[in-house]
Amino acid sequence: MTLKLENVTKSYRKAGVDIDAVDTVSLSIQPGEFASVTGASGCGKTTLLLLVGGLLHPSSGTVSICDIEPYGLSSNKRARFRAEHIGFVFQQFCLIPYLDVRENIVSAALAARHPNAELRAEELMEQFNLSDRAKHLAEELSTGERQRTALARAMLNKPKVLLADEPTGNLDDANAEVVLKALAGFAGNGGSVLLVTHDARAAGYADTTHRMQGGKLSVD
Amino acid sequence: MNILHLTTREIAHRKLSFGIGVLSIAIAVGALMGSLILLKAHDQRTATILREKEEALVQNTKALDDDVRRAMLKLGFNLVIIPKDQNLGDWYADDYAAKSMPEEYVTRLAESGIVTVRHFLPSLQQRITWPEKKRTIILVGTRGEVPNLHKNLVKPLVQPVPAGTIVLGYELHNSMGLKEGDEVTLMGRQLAVHQCYDERGTKDDITAWISLPEAQELLDKKGKINAILALQCNCPGSEIHNIRREIAKTLPDTKVVERASKLVAREEARYRVKAEGRAALQREIDGRNTLRQEREQLTALLIPIIMIACAAWVGFLAFGNVRDREAEIGILRSLGVGSMKIFAIFLLRAAAMGVAGGALGLLAGLALGQKMAVDSDAPMILLALLVAPILSLVASWIPALIATQQDPAEILRKE
């Protein structure tokens, strides 16, 4: 089992009221599985993704990735674990503005000390048709190129799990298809993908689809 | 990819913010260097002024010494050593001592280590009748000055009369129609006129000077003298008793008579001028020291203010940088970059800012030093090079800590 959540709850206290953004969610994703979570804005999708990504401590329940519980690790070890096992893709691409395409992709090696980061970056740029944009800054790229760059960065360290938060939200159909196919391809190569989206068409690329409502998860 | 590469790219991207930080540090370091250079320039100027004043004082004192020496020649001598048993009434009446003392006394004095007198002039004087000319004269036998062997030798004030010659006072050569080179006979001895003095209006006008050995022979006082004139007594008149005591120790059967007290006053004046010169020099030193202290106090007040203002500004810029890079912090954390590395990224930027600002400030300081002809020493350069990065690191420490405390989940949720 690559990814397993057991009764995970994340509560926030706002204006004196406890709100369960994620409410006793259990989820398992096998290696090679492409899972999606759909739901309306504010239903807790992004919170779920951050919990899985080791960035947000759950209020209760356990998260394990590759049989390791990241929240049982120290902050530095968890960061290292994240660098080696998890890749993130965001709706807003989140590229570093002063780095070019190649440097943005290689920046994933800042924490993981990838020995062949430059070579791997070349492969990924080739794969995502970015080679002729290698020296371009993020602001000089189209939205599709930006997301492909973010995807390449997420894949640099060959993670076991790819977490994608509305990766096609800002893309046209053609670019969205490229990204979704890439995610499917990642799963096809044995990786695990968790896609959160409100776009039913994007969720259609997934092997399993889950629906989230009011912090609770249900299988479609 | 490493944090150095990341930092250099970020600096290149946010040139203005980085440049302003560098400039403010350069101003702080420049102000520090400038203050140190101004203080050093002040010290150098002080040294120059004091050296010049010291030299001027020495020159003035030397000129004054010469004045006094000349005055002593013209007006007489202030101390005369005569035999102890000489009746002073007779001495004042005759203006010479009838009693005599051994000539070797003068050698004893010169070798005694007496510190208050520079030269001794032994003489044998007597009022005689010049038999060949049938007139009364004062005959002085002199051998020239005997220098005090324990003092620095200086040019003698009185030249000896060469043997076989005679020096004549004005009245003598004028009344006898003698001139330099003429031959005269004195008590049966043939002498050549060596020098004829101008009119002085004193008993010198009826005085004839010959060499001491010849005078001793003519007056039948071989190896005897009747006066030793002490020249250049280097002490105020109020300390005459010290000279007396010193001489009495060496020559117990003599006494010291003070003459021409006007000269003693001159000597005192000379000491006063010297003392005033020293006091003026000391006042100059005190004035310069006070000025330096005031400048130091101003520097001690201004530099911390400039440093604190600079640190506050650099800190403000660092806060801005952290705020601008919030998203980047979130991305880097999601990529697995640990908090220590995030901390290092911001401190590395601060260190680069400090080094660049320090180098600029140092260059400005060196240029100022060159303009003011002040050499910047190694500690000053080292201080400037150390202060800048430390200042920048200290100012950026809290913003960098804040960067590490950013919640990546919160940032990414906002993004």
Side-chain angles (χ1 to χ4, degrees), chain B residues 203-215:
Chain B
K203 69 179 174 60
D204 283 358
D205 289 347
I206 57 156
T207 301
W209 291 267
I210 60 173
S211 72
L212 183 60
E214 285 175 317

Side-chain angles (χ1 to χ4, degrees), chain A residues 40-51:
Chain A
S41 293
C43 70
K45 298 191 301 290
T46 300
T47 302
L48 178 69
L49 206 73
L50 295 172
L51 283 166

Side-chain angles (χ1 to χ4, degrees), chain B residues 29 32-33 36-37 40 362 366 375-388:
Chain B
V29 172
L32 175 67
M33 282 282 288
L36 294 176
I37 283 167
K40 202 169 174 191
L362 181 63
L366 291 176
D375 293 331
S376 306
D377 48 28
M380 198 189 284
I381 292 170
L382 198 66
L383 179 70
L385 288 177
L386 279 178
V387 159

Side-chain angles (χ1 to χ4, degrees), chain A residues 129-199:
Chain A
N129 200 22
L130 291 164
S131 297
D132 58 343
R133 296 297 218 170
K135 290 287 176 191
H136 289 240
L137 296 177
E139 64 184 17
E140 296 164 343
L141 303 174
S142 68
T143 51
E145 287 166 338
R146 290 181 200 184
Q147 194 59 293
R148 293 202 308 268
T149 304
L151 199 53
R153 181 180 63 189
M155 291 181 176
L156 185 91
N157 293 329
K158 297 184 177 172
K160 301 284 186 298
V161 178
L162 209 53
L163 304 174
D165 187 1
E166 302 278 12
T168 57
N170 286 328
L171 302 182
D172 57 31
D173 290 348
N175 276 306
E177 192 181 342
V178 170
V179 170
L180 291 166
K181 277 185 176 172
L183 293 176
F186 178 80
N189 288 329
S192 301
V193 178
L194 177 60
L195 166 71
V196 299
T197 180
H198 63 270
D199 182 358

Side-chain angles (χ1 to χ4, degrees), chain A residues 118-136:
Chain A
E118 294 287 339
L119 198 62
R120 172 82 175 134
E122 292 297 330
E123 285 172 15
L124 289 166
M125 283 193 292
E126 190 76 28
Q127 182 185 336
F128 290 106
N129 200 22
L130 291 164
S131 297
D132 58 343
R133 296 297 218 170
K135 290 287 176 191
H136 289 240

Side-chain angles (χ1 to χ4, degrees), chain A residues 12 46-47 50 55-56 75-76 78-80 82-84 86 88 90 92-100 102-104 106-113 118 137 139 153-154 157 165, chain B residues 1-14 321 324-325 327-342 345 404 407-415:
Chain A
Y12 295 105
T46 300
T47 302
L50 295 172
L55 289 168
L56 193 62
S75 174
N76 281 338
R78 191 162 65 247
R80 188 67 191 262
R82 196 161 51 239
E84 288 169 354
I86 303 170
F88 279 95
F90 302 98
Q92 299 299 333
F93 325 124
C94 292
L95 297 178
I96 296 174
Y98 51 83
L99 299 181
D100 62 28
R102 178 187 280 109
E103 290 166 336
N104 259 296
V106 175
S107 68
L110 259 176
R113 290 186 198 146
E118 294 287 339
L137 296 177
E139 64 184 17
R153 181 180 63 189
N157 293 329
D165 187 1
Chain B
M1 174 67 68
N2 53 40
I3 61 171
L4 182 63
H5 181 79
L6 193 80
T7 303
T8 53
R9 292 305 303 258
E10 194 275 334
I11 289 169
H13 182 68
R14 296 191 177 92
N321 188 249
D324 289 347
R325 297 170 74 181
E328 185 189 327
I329 294 167
I331 298 161
L332 291 173
R333 294 302 295 271
S334 76
L335 291 173
V337 176
S339 56
M340 284 311 291
K341 215 165 225 178
I342 298 284
I345 285 170
T404 65
D407 181 356
E410 194 59 38
I411 296 168
L412 293 171
R413 209 196 306 272
K414 273 196 286 184
E415 288 292 312

